Amino acid sequence: MPINIYQTQTILAALPLMRNKPTFLRDRYFPTSDSDIFVTEDVLVEYMDEAKRVLAPVVVPLRGGIPVGRSGYHTERFTPPYVAPERPLTVDDLNKKQFGETLFSQRTPAAREGAILNKDITDLNEMIDGREEFMAGRTLFDNGYQMKAYADSYGGDKYEEFRIQFYDGETNPAVYMPAAPWSRTCTTISRDLFLMAKMLKDRGLNAADVLFGDEVSDVIINNEYIQKLMDNRRLDLIQLNPVEYPNGVTCFGRINCNGVVLTLFCYSEKYVDEKGKTETFVPAGKVCVTAPGVGRTLYGAVTQMEQSDNDFHTYSARRVPHIVADVKSSVRTLTMKARPLTMPNYLNSSITATVLF
């Protein structure tokens, strides 16, 4: 019996075998485990105030034990944003020469159909990867994110605001204010990074990475004070050896800030927003001090009606395909659905600063 490639279960089984777009921020700082994929539309967000640092009490012999308190944590119930790019397949698409085919290709529309489906699944999946990377970047730099949920066309006038923040009040408390703007003659870069890391260390949290964009990388690599530190061979405070990683990531090396060793990452990957404007995942002129695995990416379940039995089905997965065929119009539409939500493990676990004005 031939396999129906348009069944949801068939595509779900094939998705783990397909190429995924690497996403540096999501993969390094917000990984996903099996327990992060929920069976309900809503997800449970839990993050702790700070790491445990209380010493165990010393007790008089034969006294038994002394009660100690538990660390505080926040629990909230969120409905993740509904991400659903779709792409129709028409008879005209099947009759057109596809990318890479010869000008006088003898390929039949039926033979072309499977290749187009594979390309569409890959494209839509990568679009969702980009949205998750956007959410990861905003969680790191803004301690939350705001997006527009569109009702008709992407970038249209009908939308609802979708906002999630991981702090109380109007202003983000995980922000450091530098004493002076960073420049090529600035002498406080190392101290600013140390104080940002100290804001985490004082709460028992880890500080290991520094994230920034191209503008900040130019200042760091050409800073006069940092270059002098590199010339001092008896005091090994900085090691700069820029190495380019795939997909817009450059590891500049490490800097020792009063004993706190931080790895410097420049992330210059870009995306195109709903207005067609090119933006960077890392906000211009900002830096962030954080650590790998600082949070998680949660996924809510997706419920949809299947055309095969006209019944509702609920899927717990990172991606859920949905294919609907309109026989009268000869159009088959593929929608790739997801309900992702990036969250920190601890309150204010990434410290950000605006260093270029």
Side-chain angles (χ1 to χ4, degrees):
M1 182 177 180
I3 298 176
N4 185 356
I5 62 173
Y6 292 104
Q7 280 189 339
T8 300
Q9 294 293 349
T10 303
I11 300 178
L12 279 174
L15 281 175
L17 305 177
M18 300 185 68
R19 173 178 57 88
N20 291 323
K21 179 181 179 180
T23 48
F24 175 69
L25 300 180
R26 183 197 63 186
D27 298 342
R28 182 173 178 85
Y29 302 103
F30 300 94
T32 299
S33 63
D34 292 339
S35 61
D36 296 325
I37 301 177
F38 288 73
V39 297
T40 58
E41 181 182 81
D42 293 345
V43 299
L44 190 64
V45 174
E46 296 181 314
Y47 49 96
M48 304 185 69
D49 292 332
E50 60 181 26
K52 297 178 181 179
R53 295 180 296 163
V54 179
L55 297 179
V58 179
V59 183
V60 175
L62 305 180
R63 164 65 173 79
I66 293 180
V68 295
R70 295 182 175 88
S71 299
Y73 66 96
H74 298 256
T75 301
E76 297 185 53
R77 184 173 179 175
F78 284 116
T79 301
Y82 176 61
V83 183
E86 70 178 24
R87 183 170 286 171
L89 176 64
T90 66
V91 175
D92 289 340
D93 295 325
L94 295 175
N95 289 326
K96 290 179 182 177
K97 182 187 82 68
Q98 298 298 303
F99 180 80
E101 290 186 30
T102 61
L103 181 60
F104 301 102
S105 174
Q106 299 300 312
R107 201 174 191 184
T108 64
R112 204 173 276 141
E113 186 176 4
I116 294 177
L117 175 64
N118 180 73
K119 181 66 166 56
D120 288 346
I121 292 175
T122 301
D123 289 348
L124 299 182
N125 193 38
E126 289 185 353
M127 290 180 187
I128 299 178
D129 287 334
R131 175 58 65 182
E132 292 174 356
E133 187 78 340
F134 170 86
M135 296 166 64
R138 290 302 181 267
T139 303
L140 290 170
F141 282 87
D142 298 333
N143 214 355
Y145 36 88
Q146 181 169 330
M147 299 177 292
K148 296 177 180 178
Y150 288 95
D152 46 16
S153 60
Y154 186 46
D157 297 329
K158 296 181 180 180
Y159 59 85
E160 295 179 358
E161 295 286 350
F162 184 94
R163 178 171 178 80
I164 287 182
Q165 65 181 40
F166 302 105
Y167 59 89
D168 297 326
E170 297 296 328
T171 58
N172 179 15
V175 174
Y176 169 79
M177 298 296 294
W182 287 10
S183 65
R184 296 190 178 189
T185 59
C186 177
T187 60
T188 62
I189 292 180
S190 179
R191 177 161 179 79
D192 285 337
L193 292 177
F194 168 73
L195 293 177
M196 294 174 70
K198 191 173 184 295
M199 293 174 67
L200 297 176
K201 295 283 188 178
D202 286 347
R203 297 173 48 236
L205 305 181
N206 192 21
D209 293 353
V210 182
L211 299 173
F212 47 84
D214 289 334
E215 306 88 351
V216 178
S217 69
D218 179 72
V219 170
I220 292 177
I221 200 73
N222 294 291
N223 181 262
E224 296 176 1
Y225 179 71
I226 287 180
Q227 290 180 352
K228 288 180 180 179
L229 291 179
M230 295 178 64
D231 293 336
N232 192 338
R233 299 184 181 276
R234 294 188 178 183
L235 189 62
D236 189 9
L237 293 180
I238 188 167
Q239 298 175 357
L240 290 183
N241 182 27
V243 177
E244 184 178 10
Y245 294 171
N247 302 289
V249 182
T250 300
C251 179
F252 273 64
R254 295 183 177 183
I255 184 171
N256 188 323
C257 305
N258 289 8
V260 180
V261 179
L262 300 172
T263 304
L264 305 171
F265 287 105
C266 175
Y267 188 47
S268 58
E269 187 71 2
K270 298 178 174 62
Y271 66 93
V272 177
D273 66 12
E274 61 268 30
K275 299 299 183 181
K277 184 179 179 181
T278 301
E279 302 282 358
T280 56
F281 288 110
V282 172
K286 289 191 175 184
V287 298
C288 172
V289 175
T290 186
V294 73
R296 294 172 292 155
T297 302
L298 311 180
Y299 292 90
V302 174
T303 299
Q304 61 191 24
M305 178 179 286
E306 296 292 351
Q307 203 168 41
S308 58
D309 57 6
N310 292 326
D311 203 356
F312 288 99
H313 297 264
T314 298
Y315 299 95
S316 298
R318 298 177 58 171
R319 304 283 187 271
V320 178
H322 191 203
I323 295 182
V324 177
D326 185 343
V327 178
K328 183 177 181 180
S329 302
S330 296
V331 177
R332 179 182 281 120
T333 302
L334 166 66
T335 306
M336 192 65 68
K337 303 177 181 180
R339 283 193 170 274
L341 188 142
T342 56
M343 55 154 287
N345 292 326
Y346 291 92
L347 189 67
N348 304 326
S349 53
S350 300
I351 306 299
T352 61
T354 302
V355 296
L356 299 178
F357 299 95

